[in-house]
Amino acid sequence: MNSHGRDIKIFTANSNPILAREVADYLNLPLGKCEATTFSDGEINISIGESVRGYDCFIIQPTCDPVNNNLMELLIMIDAMKRASAARITAVIPYFGYARQDRKSRARDPISAKLVADLLSTAGANRVLVMDLHAPQIQGFFNIPVDHLVGAPLLSSAIKEMMGDNKDDYVVASPDLGSVTRARKFAEKLDCKIAIIDKRRPKANVSEVMNIIGDVEGKKIIMIDDMIDTAGTLCNAAEAIVKIGGASEVYAAATHGVLSGQAIERIQNSPIKELLLTNTIPLPDEKRLDKIKILTVAPLFAEAIERIYEDKPVSPIVT
């Protein structure tokens, strides 16, 4: 590809090289030569093995676990490219770490998502490409352009295939009140009814009471969220919707599979029949369960990168 006089190069560090390679393959491009290593004291060293002068550079690096290492690799790589006279640097961050720290929920809390946005700009990023930010308003933390992709079309397409012509048997459920808007949009895509799981603690040290809002009895439930971290909320909600609501089957879908702590054990022991995730975060072999199905976001990111490179709008693929 050669547009507006600049050539394009795709780079990655250590956080998700498999996804980066997939994206590069879709674009019929090689991955740029770059090595991210660590000195014996833990400092990160970036070595770019080819010229980037005058190039449109895209660095694919989700800031997943280990979050701080992956973030520093990205920042140092951006700085290296800026100092090597890259024409434009786009930070492609399929999963944006620190996104849950987007506001002050208590006195003296940091707003770490804003700090990370400032660090990316200061390092020299000219624009950012992300997917399913935990809080969409984080886009406003940046003073550079942000393209925000969504995983819902990919997930809903896979679920539609599973549903076939039996959509009346399915109900989309929000595992908590915070995900209601996401669940409603997802239900519209599938043309399904919606249910909400409302959990509340009557008073301190009293166990949570689950209320199911909506008719789920005998239905196949699709629980939707943007990310699954420890899977506590998701698995508790799945159990409640079966035991209290009388649902017949439970499926779950999310863009980001953080899967930390006891997540894998909880998912394995839960009533969830199948969990759909995307590969924004790499899933190591020890976390792979038969009930987890991975969908690739590579074609979506490849198209977005091509559009950004050619100065075309990204909005047509954000539906």
Side-chain angles (χ1 to χ4, degrees):
M1 291 190 292
N2 190 342
S3 173
H4 48 58
R6 291 195 299 266
D7 276 331
I8 181 173
K9 285 194 177 183
I10 309 288
F11 289 89
T12 188
N14 292 322
S15 71
N16 199 343
I18 294 169
L19 173 60
R21 204 166 291 114
E22 267 192 75
V23 172
D25 287 347
Y26 271 100
L27 293 167
N28 292 316
L29 292 168
L31 267 180
K33 292 174 189 166
C34 177
E35 204 177 356
T37 54
T38 309
F39 290 114
S40 57
D41 66 349
E43 286 182 9
I44 287 161
N45 179 45
I46 297 289
S47 176
I48 297 168
E50 58 188 79
S51 173
V52 294
R53 184 180 292 272
Y55 280 87
D56 211 340
C57 295
F58 292 81
I59 306 168
I60 301 170
Q61 177 85 343
T63 50
C64 48
D65 182 42
V67 180
N68 298 333
N69 262 40
N70 288 331
L71 176 59
M72 280 307 292
E73 283 182 0
L74 176 59
L75 293 170
I76 295 169
M77 196 183 280
I78 291 168
D79 181 75
M81 287 185 180
K82 181 177 74 170
R83 293 174 190 279
S85 304
R88 182 169 65 172
I89 304 162
T90 302
V92 181
I93 313 173
Y95 170 73
F96 186 84
Y98 285 104
R100 284 171 283 183
Q101 298 184 44
D102 65 308
R103 65 195 183 282
K104 287 181 69 166
S105 49
R106 296 183 304 265
R108 296 172 296 282
D109 270 3
I111 304 180
S112 307
K114 166 63 175 159
L115 173 62
V116 172
D118 288 344
L119 288 169
L120 286 162
S121 297
T122 303
N126 300 108
R127 66 186 307 128
V128 174
L129 174 61
V130 293
M131 177 174 262
D132 278 343
L133 286 168
H134 188 64
Q137 64 267 26
I138 290 171
Q139 292 172 82
F141 292 177
F142 289 88
N143 293 320
I144 54 176
V146 177
D147 290 300
H148 188 208
L149 302 179
V150 290
L154 189 65
L155 295 169
S156 62
S157 167
I159 288 168
K160 268 182 191 169
E161 209 173 295
M162 177 184 80
M163 287 165 59
D165 298 325
N166 308 314
K167 66 180 180 188
D168 292 341
D169 297 342
Y170 289 84
V171 172
V172 172
S174 170
D176 56 22
L177 291 172
S179 302
V180 172
T181 304
R182 187 176 292 106
R184 188 183 292 123
K185 285 181 181 172
F186 205 80
E188 282 171 11
K189 281 181 183 295
L190 299 176
D191 195 19
C192 283
K193 289 181 178 171
I194 184 173
I196 300 162
I197 294 152
D198 172 34
K199 58 179 181 183
R200 59 188 70 186
R201 203 179 289 274
K203 54 186 176 184
N205 300 321
V206 175
S207 63
E208 288 176 338
V209 176
M210 297 273 198
N211 295 309
I212 316 289
I213 303 164
D215 178 22
V216 298
E217 194 166 347
K219 299 287 187 184
K220 294 176 181 178
I221 307 300
I222 299 153
M223 306 189 79
I224 183 75
D225 216 336
D226 67 319
M227 73 166 71
I228 297 170
D229 188 355
T230 60
T233 299
L234 181 78
C235 293
N236 288 343
E239 279 181 30
I241 216 156
V242 171
K243 288 178 182 171
I244 300 168
S248 63
E249 289 178 2
V250 182
Y251 298 86
T255 304
H256 309 299
V258 179
L259 305 180
S260 65
Q262 294 176 286
I264 292 298
E265 191 184 330
R266 284 177 179 145
I267 291 162
Q268 181 67 4
N269 298 329
S270 75
I272 295 166
K273 195 172 177 183
E274 187 173 85
L275 169 60
L276 281 180
L277 296 170
T278 77
N279 61 342
T280 55
I281 297 172
L283 190 67
D285 289 341
E286 65 270 17
K287 290 186 177 179
R288 290 186 183 270
L289 300 175
D290 290 341
K291 60 167 76 175
I292 295 179
K293 184 181 175 187
I294 303 290
L295 305 173
T296 183
V297 292
L300 192 57
F301 273 94
E303 189 175 350
I305 287 169
E306 192 166 7
R307 285 174 172 274
I308 291 166
Y309 171 66
E310 293 177 349
D311 292 327
K312 289 179 179 175
V314 175
S315 52
I317 61 171
V318 184
T319 51

